[in-house]
Amino acid sequence: MKTFKNHINDTFTANLPADPIAENTRRQVTESCFSYVSPKATSNPELLHVSDDMLETLGISKAESESEEFLKVFTGNAVLPNTRPYAMCYGGHQFGNWAGQLGDGRAINLTEITYKEHHWALQLKGAGETPYSRTADGLAVLRSSIREYLCSESMYHLGVPTTRALSLALTGDQVLRDMLYNGNAAYEKGAVVCRVAPSFLRFGNFEIFAARQDVATLKTLVDYTINQFYPELGTLSKATYVQFFKAVSERTLKLIIEWQRVGFVHGVMNTDNMSILGLTIDYGPYGWLEGFDFGWTPNTTDSQHKRYRYGNQPNIGLWNLYQLANALYLLIEEADGLQTVLDDYKTDFETQSLQMMRSKLGLQTELDDDLQLIQNLEDCLLLTETDMTIFFRNLAKFEKDKSGNGLQIIQDAFYQSELNIEIAEKWNAWFQQYAKRLQQELISDAERATFMNSVNPKYVLRNYMAQLAIDAAEKSDYSLIDELYQLLKQPYDEQPKYEKWFAKRPEWARHKVGCSMLSCSS
Ligand code: AMP
Ligand code: MG
């Protein structure tokens, strides 16, 4: 029979050491990469959404996705035949400090699938306690599950490397959360998301063994990761480990450049939230830039130091890579190769960041003055609150022979209705510089517009949009989840029927919890 179950191919548990203790008790787990653990049964599961795109990718038929088994498996009430769910052991640096063992505290891996030459791990988030749950309950609430589900799928369609999501379900159970950590705990609807990625390995999976000076397990894990996910690096040796680090560094940089391009702020770039495959992982207190602002972070838990603010993401990527380098050093025993990779990150960042900004401006040639043009633009964008997405999208309509129309074209991006004369003059000066620069390009205005519209999305999951879907879902109306899911499948298309989502953040959302203020509570 044709079923996705024929494609089950568990590599993680087959190749890596398992925790010998079978009990699901909270503890330090040593010399093991994972612990076998079963998802917690849920009382009244209800599927709210299934990604048709992901069904196809995994080879799951429509009929299978509508079966009782699908509902049960992806809400924690049944286990697929010939599989054994498990939670991974990892550590991490949180907000700059080593936090020791963390691990999958509420994520339970179901199995892996190989389909059409692609490899996928399937994982439930919010499926109950594991040995790594520390003081928490292993559960997830509806609001954070909607945010993860919608955002990870939308990131994929934006072309940003990311984990994916297969399904979003209510568990029927209540979950107690103190959303703002201010002593006001309340019950919320429990939910579970099935997320999907080639691997959920994080920097922290490697760091934990280094911290414990467990070189043997570290080596086993690194060898597995290279063989399985970086096979192009070839036979294993110390030189290969440096090449592995280089590949991870390059993917990490590429990822962060993509975040900067679309205005995504991860919010909690701890090393346990850094994918070894360079994917966006762990959608928690993330947010989208509305007003362009290098200093912005949506995460109120980080409001004091703003370590994970938009403009600091590239630096943090590097800081996190240093931690991974320290772990891999135990296998390589020679710092030079690792240091070169880290140095390259800095220079590659300058080059790639400039190239990314050129593309946002529709520039296809490279001129020395471009950096200045971009810095001048950033200065203008910071003069008054200016919506990043609307600005770049509307800029595609600019005509190089009509620089005087610039301000009018981007008018909708400003949060204040009238610009003072001084600010308007600065903008006009920039538009003149931009127009002059465009004269040196070989393409027409129309060609440039098409190119820019493939780089600058029209629709992103604005913070208030996710919150509207959450508010409706709390009242058992799930239609907006589907509307946003459909909308964000084509973020670069005009989609006139969805024009209302091409709009600045409404005033009510400026200081609303969930829109501009998010915590790690999820
Ligand atoms: P996060 O901030 O979501 O990346 O989580 C950091 C660590 O805390 C990870 O080890 C998570 O698995 C764990 N964690 C977060 N929330 C919970 C929860 N509700 N129950 C158990 N562990 C959790
Ligand atoms: Mg995490």
Side-chain angles (χ1 to χ4, degrees), residues 93 203 207 245 248-254 256-257 259 269 271 274 307-308 311-326 338-350:
H93 279 85
F203 289 10
E207 288 180 273
F245 182 61
V248 175
S249 175
E250 286 175 356
R251 286 201 198 186
T252 303
L253 175 58
K254 184 174 180 300
I256 296 173
I257 297 270
W259 287 353
M269 290 173 72
T271 58
M274 297 296 292
R307 179 180 172 86
Y308 299 138
N312 208 30
Q313 297 191 120
N315 288 331
I316 292 294
L318 180 61
W319 192 92
N320 289 341
L321 284 161
Y322 266 99
Q323 310 317 312
L324 181 63
N326 280 332
L338 295 167
Q339 188 60 54
T340 305
V341 173
L342 293 163
D343 292 342
D344 286 349
Y345 179 102
K346 289 178 227 167
T347 44
D348 291 350
F349 168 72
E350 298 299 338

Short mmCIF file of all heavy atoms in Angstrom, two decimals, residues 93 203 207 245 248-254 256-257 259 269 271 274 307-308 311-326 338-350:
data_model
loop_
_atom_site.label_atom_id
_atom_site.label_comp_id
_atom_site.label_asym_id
_atom_site.label_seq_id
_atom_site.Cartn_x
_atom_site.Cartn_y
_atom_site.Cartn_z
N HIS A 93 24.18 28.33 25.46
CA HIS A 93 24.47 29.64 26.05
C HIS A 93 23.20 30.48 25.93
O HIS A 93 22.74 30.74 24.82
CB HIS A 93 25.61 30.32 25.32
CG HIS A 93 26.96 29.84 25.73
ND1 HIS A 93 27.55 28.72 25.19
CD2 HIS A 93 27.84 30.31 26.67
CE1 HIS A 93 28.74 28.54 25.76
NE2 HIS A 93 28.94 29.49 26.65
N PHE A 203 23.47 24.11 17.83
CA PHE A 203 24.85 24.27 18.31
C PHE A 203 24.96 23.59 19.69
O PHE A 203 25.96 22.97 20.02
CB PHE A 203 25.24 25.75 18.45
CG PHE A 203 25.42 26.49 17.15
CD1 PHE A 203 25.05 25.94 15.93
CD2 PHE A 203 25.97 27.77 17.16
CE1 PHE A 203 25.22 26.63 14.74
CE2 PHE A 203 26.15 28.47 15.98
CZ PHE A 203 25.77 27.92 14.77
N GLU A 207 27.76 21.54 22.03
CA GLU A 207 28.35 22.21 23.21
C GLU A 207 28.22 21.37 24.48
O GLU A 207 29.11 21.40 25.33
CB GLU A 207 27.65 23.55 23.45
CG GLU A 207 27.97 24.64 22.45
CD GLU A 207 27.19 25.89 22.81
OE1 GLU A 207 26.03 26.03 22.36
OE2 GLU A 207 27.71 26.72 23.57
N PHE A 245 32.82 23.16 10.14
CA PHE A 245 32.58 24.43 10.83
C PHE A 245 32.40 25.56 9.81
O PHE A 245 31.54 26.44 9.97
CB PHE A 245 33.73 24.74 11.79
CG PHE A 245 33.50 26.00 12.57
CD1 PHE A 245 32.40 26.14 13.41
CD2 PHE A 245 34.38 27.07 12.44
CE1 PHE A 245 32.18 27.32 14.12
CE2 PHE A 245 34.17 28.25 13.15
CZ PHE A 245 33.07 28.37 13.99
N VAL A 248 28.93 25.35 8.36
CA VAL A 248 27.92 25.82 9.31
C VAL A 248 27.97 27.35 9.41
O VAL A 248 26.94 28.03 9.42
CB VAL A 248 28.13 25.19 10.71
CG1 VAL A 248 27.14 25.77 11.72
CG2 VAL A 248 27.99 23.67 10.65
N SER A 249 29.18 27.88 9.44
CA SER A 249 29.34 29.33 9.53
C SER A 249 28.73 30.01 8.31
O SER A 249 28.01 31.01 8.44
CB SER A 249 30.84 29.65 9.64
OG SER A 249 31.03 31.03 9.62
N GLU A 250 28.99 29.46 7.15
CA GLU A 250 28.45 30.08 5.92
C GLU A 250 26.92 30.02 5.90
O GLU A 250 26.26 30.98 5.50
CB GLU A 250 29.03 29.38 4.68
CG GLU A 250 30.48 29.79 4.46
CD GLU A 250 31.19 29.06 3.33
OE1 GLU A 250 30.58 28.14 2.71
OE2 GLU A 250 32.34 29.38 3.07
N ARG A 251 26.39 28.90 6.34
CA ARG A 251 24.92 28.80 6.35
C ARG A 251 24.31 29.75 7.38
O ARG A 251 23.25 30.33 7.16
CB ARG A 251 24.50 27.37 6.69
CG ARG A 251 24.71 26.41 5.55
CD ARG A 251 23.83 25.20 5.76
NE ARG A 251 24.28 24.07 4.97
CZ ARG A 251 23.62 22.93 4.90
NH1 ARG A 251 22.50 22.76 5.58
NH2 ARG A 251 24.07 21.94 4.15
N THR A 252 24.99 29.88 8.52
CA THR A 252 24.48 30.77 9.57
C THR A 252 24.47 32.21 9.08
O THR A 252 23.50 32.95 9.27
CB THR A 252 25.36 30.64 10.84
OG1 THR A 252 25.35 29.27 11.24
CG2 THR A 252 24.83 31.51 11.97
N LEU A 253 25.56 32.59 8.43
CA LEU A 253 25.63 33.96 7.90
C LEU A 253 24.54 34.19 6.86
O LEU A 253 23.83 35.21 6.89
CB LEU A 253 27.02 34.21 7.29
CG LEU A 253 27.18 35.57 6.60
CD1 LEU A 253 26.89 36.72 7.56
CD2 LEU A 253 28.59 35.72 6.02
N LYS A 254 24.39 33.25 5.97
CA LYS A 254 23.39 33.40 4.92
C LYS A 254 21.99 33.56 5.54
O LYS A 254 21.19 34.39 5.11
CB LYS A 254 23.43 32.17 4.00
CG LYS A 254 22.49 32.27 2.83
CD LYS A 254 22.65 31.11 1.86
CE LYS A 254 21.69 31.23 0.69
NZ LYS A 254 20.28 31.24 1.07
N ILE A 256 21.22 34.74 8.49
CA ILE A 256 21.02 36.03 9.17
C ILE A 256 20.88 37.16 8.16
O ILE A 256 20.08 38.09 8.34
CB ILE A 256 22.14 36.26 10.21
CG1 ILE A 256 22.03 35.17 11.30
CG2 ILE A 256 22.04 37.65 10.83
CD1 ILE A 256 23.14 35.14 12.31
N ILE A 257 21.60 37.07 7.07
CA ILE A 257 21.44 38.08 6.01
C ILE A 257 19.99 38.05 5.50
O ILE A 257 19.38 39.08 5.23
CB ILE A 257 22.41 37.79 4.83
CG1 ILE A 257 23.86 37.90 5.30
CG2 ILE A 257 22.11 38.66 3.63
CD1 ILE A 257 24.50 39.24 5.19
N TRP A 259 17.36 37.11 7.22
CA TRP A 259 16.52 37.74 8.25
C TRP A 259 16.56 39.26 8.10
O TRP A 259 15.53 39.93 8.19
CB TRP A 259 17.02 37.38 9.65
CG TRP A 259 16.78 35.99 10.11
CD1 TRP A 259 16.04 35.02 9.48
CD2 TRP A 259 17.29 35.39 11.32
NE1 TRP A 259 16.07 33.86 10.22
CE2 TRP A 259 16.82 34.06 11.35
CE3 TRP A 259 18.09 35.84 12.36
CZ2 TRP A 259 17.12 33.18 12.40
CZ3 TRP A 259 18.40 34.98 13.40
CH2 TRP A 259 17.91 33.65 13.41
N MET A 269 18.23 34.43 20.27
CA MET A 269 19.28 33.69 19.55
C MET A 269 20.27 33.05 20.51
O MET A 269 21.49 33.25 20.39
CB MET A 269 20.02 34.63 18.60
CG MET A 269 19.21 35.11 17.41
SD MET A 269 20.12 36.36 16.49
CE MET A 269 21.40 35.37 15.71
N THR A 271 22.37 29.81 21.92
CA THR A 271 23.01 28.79 21.07
C THR A 271 22.18 27.51 20.98
O THR A 271 22.37 26.71 20.07
CB THR A 271 24.43 28.44 21.55
OG1 THR A 271 24.36 27.98 22.90
CG2 THR A 271 25.36 29.63 21.46
N MET A 274 20.13 27.75 17.73
CA MET A 274 20.87 27.91 16.48
C MET A 274 20.99 26.56 15.80
O MET A 274 21.64 25.64 16.32
CB MET A 274 22.29 28.45 16.76
CG MET A 274 22.33 29.82 17.39
SD MET A 274 21.67 31.13 16.33
CE MET A 274 22.91 31.17 15.03
N ARG A 307 20.05 42.45 23.66
CA ARG A 307 21.11 41.64 23.06
C ARG A 307 20.70 41.13 21.67
O ARG A 307 21.51 41.09 20.75
CB ARG A 307 21.38 40.45 23.99
CG ARG A 307 22.44 39.49 23.52
CD ARG A 307 22.61 38.35 24.54
NE ARG A 307 23.48 37.31 24.04
CZ ARG A 307 24.81 37.33 24.14
NH1 ARG A 307 25.42 38.34 24.74
NH2 ARG A 307 25.53 36.35 23.65
N TYR A 308 19.44 40.76 21.53
CA TYR A 308 19.01 40.14 20.28
C TYR A 308 18.23 41.09 19.36
O TYR A 308 17.39 40.66 18.57
CB TYR A 308 18.20 38.87 20.61
CG TYR A 308 19.04 37.84 21.36
CD1 TYR A 308 18.53 37.12 22.43
CD2 TYR A 308 20.37 37.60 20.99
CE1 TYR A 308 19.30 36.18 23.12
CE2 TYR A 308 21.15 36.67 21.67
CZ TYR A 308 20.62 35.97 22.74
OH TYR A 308 21.39 35.05 23.40
N GLY A 311 19.56 44.93 14.71
CA GLY A 311 20.88 45.29 14.20
C GLY A 311 22.01 44.46 14.78
O GLY A 311 23.14 44.51 14.28
N ASN A 312 21.73 43.72 15.83
CA ASN A 312 22.78 42.95 16.48
C ASN A 312 22.78 41.48 16.06
O ASN A 312 23.66 40.72 16.48
CB ASN A 312 22.63 43.05 18.01
CG ASN A 312 23.97 42.90 18.73
OD1 ASN A 312 25.03 43.25 18.20
ND2 ASN A 312 23.93 42.37 19.94
N GLN A 313 21.83 41.08 15.23
CA GLN A 313 21.73 39.65 14.89
C GLN A 313 23.00 39.11 14.21
O GLN A 313 23.46 38.02 14.56
CB GLN A 313 20.47 39.39 14.04
CG GLN A 313 19.20 39.71 14.82
CD GLN A 313 17.92 39.23 14.13
OE1 GLN A 313 17.20 38.43 14.69
NE2 GLN A 313 17.62 39.74 12.95
N PRO A 314 23.59 39.88 13.28
CA PRO A 314 24.81 39.37 12.66
C PRO A 314 25.94 39.17 13.67
O PRO A 314 26.67 38.16 13.61
CB PRO A 314 25.18 40.45 11.64
CG PRO A 314 23.87 41.14 11.34
CD PRO A 314 23.11 41.13 12.64
N ASN A 315 26.10 40.09 14.62
CA ASN A 315 27.14 39.94 15.65
C ASN A 315 26.87 38.73 16.52
O ASN A 315 27.80 38.00 16.91
CB ASN A 315 27.16 41.15 16.60
CG ASN A 315 27.73 42.36 15.91
OD1 ASN A 315 28.55 42.23 15.01
ND2 ASN A 315 27.27 43.53 16.32
N ILE A 316 25.63 38.52 16.86
CA ILE A 316 25.29 37.39 17.71
C ILE A 316 25.52 36.07 16.97
O ILE A 316 25.97 35.09 17.56
CB ILE A 316 23.83 37.51 18.21
CG1 ILE A 316 23.71 38.70 19.18
CG2 ILE A 316 23.37 36.22 18.86
CD1 ILE A 316 24.46 38.54 20.49
N GLY A 317 25.24 36.07 15.69
CA GLY A 317 25.54 34.88 14.89
C GLY A 317 27.01 34.50 15.06
O GLY A 317 27.36 33.34 15.28
N LEU A 318 27.87 35.51 15.00
CA LEU A 318 29.31 35.28 15.14
C LEU A 318 29.65 34.82 16.56
O LEU A 318 30.42 33.87 16.76
CB LEU A 318 30.07 36.57 14.80
CG LEU A 318 31.59 36.49 14.88
CD1 LEU A 318 32.15 35.46 13.91
CD2 LEU A 318 32.22 37.86 14.60
N TRP A 319 29.06 35.47 17.53
CA TRP A 319 29.31 35.09 18.94
C TRP A 319 28.93 33.62 19.15
O TRP A 319 29.67 32.85 19.77
CB TRP A 319 28.49 35.99 19.87
CG TRP A 319 28.88 35.89 21.32
CD1 TRP A 319 29.79 36.67 21.97
CD2 TRP A 319 28.39 34.94 22.30
NE1 TRP A 319 29.90 36.27 23.28
CE2 TRP A 319 29.06 35.21 23.52
CE3 TRP A 319 27.48 33.89 22.26
CZ2 TRP A 319 28.82 34.48 24.69
CZ3 TRP A 319 27.25 33.15 23.42
CH2 TRP A 319 27.91 33.45 24.62
N ASN A 320 27.80 33.25 18.59
CA ASN A 320 27.34 31.87 18.74
C ASN A 320 28.29 30.89 18.03
O ASN A 320 28.55 29.79 18.52
CB ASN A 320 25.92 31.72 18.20
CG ASN A 320 24.91 32.40 19.11
OD1 ASN A 320 25.18 32.67 20.29
ND2 ASN A 320 23.73 32.71 18.58
N LEU A 321 28.80 31.31 16.87
CA LEU A 321 29.75 30.46 16.16
C LEU A 321 31.04 30.27 16.97
O LEU A 321 31.66 29.20 16.93
CB LEU A 321 30.06 31.04 14.78
CG LEU A 321 28.94 30.81 13.75
CD1 LEU A 321 29.07 31.77 12.57
CD2 LEU A 321 28.93 29.36 13.25
N TYR A 322 31.44 31.29 17.71
CA TYR A 322 32.59 31.13 18.61
C TYR A 322 32.34 30.00 19.61
O TYR A 322 33.24 29.22 19.94
CB TYR A 322 32.88 32.43 19.39
CG TYR A 322 33.91 33.32 18.73
CD1 TYR A 322 33.53 34.41 17.95
CD2 TYR A 322 35.27 33.06 18.89
CE1 TYR A 322 34.47 35.22 17.34
CE2 TYR A 322 36.22 33.88 18.27
CZ TYR A 322 35.82 34.95 17.50
OH TYR A 322 36.75 35.73 16.89
N GLN A 323 31.13 29.93 20.11
CA GLN A 323 30.83 28.88 21.09
C GLN A 323 30.91 27.50 20.43
O GLN A 323 31.41 26.54 21.03
CB GLN A 323 29.45 29.09 21.73
CG GLN A 323 29.19 30.50 22.27
CD GLN A 323 30.37 31.08 23.03
OE1 GLN A 323 30.95 30.42 23.90
NE2 GLN A 323 30.76 32.31 22.69
N LEU A 324 30.40 27.42 19.21
CA LEU A 324 30.49 26.15 18.50
C LEU A 324 31.95 25.80 18.20
O LEU A 324 32.37 24.64 18.33
CB LEU A 324 29.67 26.22 17.20
CG LEU A 324 29.66 24.94 16.37
CD1 LEU A 324 29.02 23.77 17.12
CD2 LEU A 324 28.92 25.15 15.04
N ALA A 325 32.73 26.83 17.83
CA ALA A 325 34.16 26.60 17.56
C ALA A 325 34.85 26.05 18.80
O ALA A 325 35.66 25.12 18.72
CB ALA A 325 34.82 27.91 17.12
N ASN A 326 34.53 26.62 19.95
CA ASN A 326 35.13 26.13 21.20
C ASN A 326 34.81 24.66 21.43
O ASN A 326 35.65 23.90 21.92
CB ASN A 326 34.61 26.94 22.40
CG ASN A 326 35.34 28.27 22.52
OD1 ASN A 326 36.49 28.39 22.10
ND2 ASN A 326 34.67 29.27 23.06
N LEU A 338 39.86 27.20 12.69
CA LEU A 338 38.58 27.71 13.20
C LEU A 338 38.58 29.23 13.20
O LEU A 338 37.60 29.88 12.82
CB LEU A 338 38.34 27.19 14.62
CG LEU A 338 38.15 25.67 14.75
CD1 LEU A 338 38.25 25.22 16.21
CD2 LEU A 338 36.81 25.24 14.16
N GLN A 339 39.72 29.82 13.60
CA GLN A 339 39.82 31.28 13.66
C GLN A 339 39.66 31.88 12.27
O GLN A 339 39.00 32.92 12.10
CB GLN A 339 41.17 31.68 14.28
CG GLN A 339 41.29 33.18 14.56
CD GLN A 339 40.23 33.68 15.53
OE1 GLN A 339 40.08 33.15 16.62
NE2 GLN A 339 39.46 34.69 15.12
N THR A 340 40.24 31.24 11.27
CA THR A 340 40.12 31.76 9.90
C THR A 340 38.65 31.80 9.48
O THR A 340 38.20 32.77 8.87
CB THR A 340 40.91 30.84 8.92
OG1 THR A 340 42.24 30.76 9.39
CG2 THR A 340 40.89 31.38 7.51
N VAL A 341 37.92 30.75 9.83
CA VAL A 341 36.50 30.72 9.48
C VAL A 341 35.76 31.88 10.15
O VAL A 341 34.95 32.58 9.52
CB VAL A 341 35.87 29.37 9.90
CG1 VAL A 341 34.36 29.40 9.70
CG2 VAL A 341 36.50 28.22 9.13
N LEU A 342 36.09 32.12 11.41
CA LEU A 342 35.42 33.21 12.14
C LEU A 342 35.80 34.57 11.54
O LEU A 342 34.95 35.46 11.43
CB LEU A 342 35.79 33.14 13.63
CG LEU A 342 35.23 31.90 14.35
CD1 LEU A 342 35.94 31.67 15.67
CD2 LEU A 342 33.73 32.03 14.58
N ASP A 343 37.05 34.71 11.14
CA ASP A 343 37.47 35.97 10.50
C ASP A 343 36.74 36.16 9.17
O ASP A 343 36.32 37.28 8.83
CB ASP A 343 38.99 35.98 10.28
CG ASP A 343 39.75 36.03 11.59
OD1 ASP A 343 39.15 36.41 12.63
OD2 ASP A 343 40.95 35.68 11.60
N ASP A 344 36.60 35.06 8.45
CA ASP A 344 35.90 35.13 7.16
C ASP A 344 34.45 35.58 7.34
O ASP A 344 33.89 36.27 6.50
CB ASP A 344 35.91 33.77 6.45
CG ASP A 344 37.28 33.44 5.88
OD1 ASP A 344 38.13 34.35 5.86
OD2 ASP A 344 37.50 32.28 5.48
N TYR A 345 33.85 35.13 8.43
CA TYR A 345 32.46 35.51 8.69
C TYR A 345 32.34 37.04 8.65
O TYR A 345 31.42 37.59 8.05
CB TYR A 345 32.02 34.97 10.05
CG TYR A 345 30.58 35.32 10.47
CD1 TYR A 345 29.56 34.38 10.35
CD2 TYR A 345 30.27 36.56 11.01
CE1 TYR A 345 28.26 34.69 10.75
CE2 TYR A 345 28.98 36.88 11.41
CZ TYR A 345 27.97 35.93 11.29
OH TYR A 345 26.68 36.23 11.69
N LYS A 346 33.30 37.70 9.30
CA LYS A 346 33.22 39.17 9.39
C LYS A 346 33.33 39.82 8.01
O LYS A 346 32.53 40.69 7.68
CB LYS A 346 34.34 39.71 10.29
CG LYS A 346 34.10 39.37 11.76
CD LYS A 346 35.26 39.87 12.63
CE LYS A 346 35.68 38.76 13.57
NZ LYS A 346 36.93 38.96 14.25
N THR A 347 34.29 39.38 7.22
CA THR A 347 34.44 40.01 5.90
C THR A 347 33.30 39.59 4.97
O THR A 347 32.77 40.41 4.23
CB THR A 347 35.80 39.66 5.26
OG1 THR A 347 36.03 38.26 5.45
CG2 THR A 347 36.92 40.44 5.87
N ASP A 348 32.92 38.32 5.05
CA ASP A 348 31.80 37.86 4.21
C ASP A 348 30.51 38.61 4.57
O ASP A 348 29.68 38.89 3.72
CB ASP A 348 31.56 36.36 4.37
CG ASP A 348 32.70 35.54 3.78
OD1 ASP A 348 33.55 36.13 3.09
OD2 ASP A 348 32.74 34.31 4.02
N PHE A 349 30.36 38.91 5.86
CA PHE A 349 29.17 39.66 6.25
C PHE A 349 29.13 41.00 5.54
O PHE A 349 28.10 41.39 4.98
CB PHE A 349 29.09 39.86 7.77
CG PHE A 349 28.03 40.87 8.13
CD1 PHE A 349 26.69 40.53 8.02
CD2 PHE A 349 28.36 42.16 8.53
CE1 PHE A 349 25.69 41.47 8.29
CE2 PHE A 349 27.38 43.09 8.80
CZ PHE A 349 26.05 42.75 8.69
N GLU A 350 30.25 41.72 5.54
CA GLU A 350 30.28 43.04 4.90
C GLU A 350 29.88 42.92 3.43
O GLU A 350 29.04 43.67 2.94
CB GLU A 350 31.69 43.66 5.00
CG GLU A 350 32.18 43.92 6.42
CD GLU A 350 31.31 44.89 7.21
OE1 GLU A 350 30.58 45.69 6.58
OE2 GLU A 350 31.34 44.83 8.46
#
